[in-house]
Amino acid sequence: MIERYRDFLPVTAATPVITLLEGNTPLIPAPSLAAKIGRDVKVFVKYDGLNPTGSFKDRGMTLAISKAKEAGAKAVICASTGNTSAAAAAYARRGGLRAFVVVPDGYVALGKLAQALVYGAEVLSIQGNFDQALEMVRLIADRYPVTLVNSVNPYRLEGQKTGAFEVVDALGDAPDWLCIPVGNAGNISAYWMGFNQYYQAGHSRKLPQMMGFQAAGSAPLVHGQPISNPETLATAIRIGNPASWELAMTAKTDSKGTFRAVTDEEILEAYRILASEEGVFCEPASAASVAGLLQCRDQVPAGATIVCVLTGNGLKDPDVAIKHSGNQIHTGLTANVEELAKVMGF
Ligand code: F0G
């Protein structure tokens, strides 16, 4: 990713590039979603769950870890609802750095915890939420020789803006709407920066409207104030006080976009539609972008091109998948062809 977009990124010949060949993820047409909206709308999903650690965080982390290494860091730290910790762990370990990850006890999806452990992170699980974890790691990075790799580290957003570049490269222009889940509000800010830079460089003729979607129990940007006890089944975006609040507001205002809340039920409905009708398995937080689009379907301009960012892979959260698939295993069958055929309805 850094090689492909080197001209737009703060790297020099002296930067040791730590990469797992992230980025270049597919922009997949979603005809079933388009049909639900009608009016000749085109819908695509940017499936960033196909990155090396299964989320968009790899775009930011390849740059943040490369720059940390360039500056001589020996260790990095982040607070995380799971995906940042997986990406930080993978890239830090590949670069030979220690990775400390601080996570909210009991609120990280199983696949993400498994990743952090196997990649060799030092996992610190606190009795507290993401917002408290972020406050702590900011203080620790101020006091001790460890580099903060949350999205308050500017290299994270610089890397993540490449998602917008890829969308424009694939479509030949910016979309009319960019629908994106919002938690700590780094990614929406990064995409807006990317669309603007590409527009100014003459790669697109327009800018998209930025449509940010938060989980209803964790929607501080929608309500205009922080939330002390955020809740949602989409644990990746269970965040009450986003670090990039101002940047995200600017993205919304300048793009004439919107912030909306989607309920856990709407998220799960979108999650099931994506998997069972489009064949795309994302994690619950990612489906917030599609849930938001479906909620706003009456406002979509005729003929619009819409991109929904699917930030993480569905395999990250097997618990939600099994519990909320809306499907069930036919259990207790004997190894008998007639019995199977009967269950199959033949
Ligand atoms: N989708 C997924 C799958 C995420 O993991 C996150 C954030 C978001 C959306 C929201 O992005 O924070 O830039 O607004 N996950 C962070 C983490 C908080 O620790 O992995 P954002």
Side-chain angles (χ1 to χ4, degrees):
M1 186 208 85
I2 290 178
E3 284 319 315
R4 186 165 172 211
Y5 294 114
R6 185 172 270 274
D7 292 349
F8 289 90
L9 296 171
V11 288
T12 68
T15 311
V17 174
I18 314 291
T19 178
L20 288 162
L21 304 183
E22 58 291 317
N24 201 15
T25 55
L27 187 69
I28 306 172
S32 178
L33 289 176
K36 288 183 202 307
I37 295 164
R39 302 197 296 286
D40 287 332
V41 162
K42 289 194 193 66
V43 180
F44 298 86
V45 294
K46 177 66 173 163
Y47 191 23
D48 248 4
L50 288 185
N51 273 298
T53 79
S55 87
F56 71 100
K57 305 285 181 179
D58 294 350
R59 298 178 181 279
M61 214 50 84
T62 180
L63 193 62
I65 299 293
S66 298
K67 295 301 282 187
K69 180 113 176 141
E70 183 179 352
K74 298 280 181 285
V76 299
I77 191 166
C78 65
S80 182
T81 56
N83 281 325
T84 301
S85 68
Y91 285 81
R93 299 305 300 146
R94 188 170 173 90
L97 309 180
R98 286 176 79 182
F100 297 99
V101 308
V102 182
V103 296
D105 193 39
Y107 289 93
V108 175
L110 207 58
K112 303 174 189 182
L113 263 188
Q115 288 180 287
L117 289 170
V118 177
Y119 287 135
E122 294 160 71
V123 181
L124 311 165
S125 188
I126 62 157
Q127 301 296 320
N129 61 29
F130 171 84
D131 303 291
Q132 293 165 305
L134 184 58
E135 268 177 47
M136 289 172 66
V137 297
R138 290 175 98 147
L139 290 174
I140 289 171
D142 279 345
R143 288 182 199 163
Y144 304 102
V146 47
T147 301
L148 186 60
V149 293
N150 278 105
S151 55
V152 291
N153 175 328
Y155 297 122
R156 281 280 312 282
L157 299 197
E158 288 287 335
Q160 283 171 213
K161 75 187 179 189
T162 61
F165 296 169
E166 290 180 12
V167 166
V168 173
D169 286 341
L171 293 175
D173 200 354
D176 297 296
W177 279 17
L178 192 281
C179 300
I180 188 165
V182 177
N184 211 24
N187 210 30
I188 189 170
S189 308
Y191 264 83
W192 183 236
M193 175 162 68
F195 282 122
N196 276 283
Q197 289 183 7
Y198 238 36
Y199 176 73
Q200 274 145 28
H203 290 284
S204 67
R205 290 180 298 282
K206 62 182 178 205
L207 289 165
Q209 286 180 268
M210 302 298 286
M211 315 295 280
F213 299 106
Q214 299 204 284
S218 308
L221 291 168
V222 177
H223 300 303
Q225 59 186 47
I227 291 179
S228 41
N229 290 309
E231 276 309 339
T232 170
L233 145 155
T235 51
I237 51 172
R238 187 174 168 272
I239 295 175
N241 191 12
S244 295
W245 188 300
E246 296 304 327
L247 288 174
M249 288 309 289
T250 302
K252 186 199 88 162
T253 308
D254 290 359
S255 74
K256 302 183 174 58
T258 191
F259 291 139
R260 291 271 202 110
V262 287
T263 65
D264 283 0
E265 289 68 35
E266 289 175 303
I267 288 174
L268 287 172
E269 176 69 10
Y271 169 82
R272 287 188 288 258
I273 289 172
L274 276 163
S276 67
E277 297 185 29
E278 303 287 9
V280 180
F281 186 27
C282 67
E283 64 172 284
S286 307
S289 61
V290 170
L293 170 61
L294 293 175
Q295 193 188 80
C296 298
R297 72 177 99 191
D298 295 339
Q299 281 109 63
V300 180
T305 297
I306 295 163
V307 170
C308 297
V309 183
L310 300 186
T311 45
N313 196 299
L315 294 170
K316 294 269 193 179
D317 196 341
D319 293 313
V320 167
I322 300 282
K323 200 162 163 211
H324 296 284
S325 70
N327 201 350
Q328 65 186 35
I329 304 172
H330 298 275
T331 52
L333 304 175
T334 55
N336 176 290
V337 169
E338 279 74 37
E339 190 178 339
L340 254 56
K342 198 167 161 224
V343 174
M344 290 162 74
F346 296 119

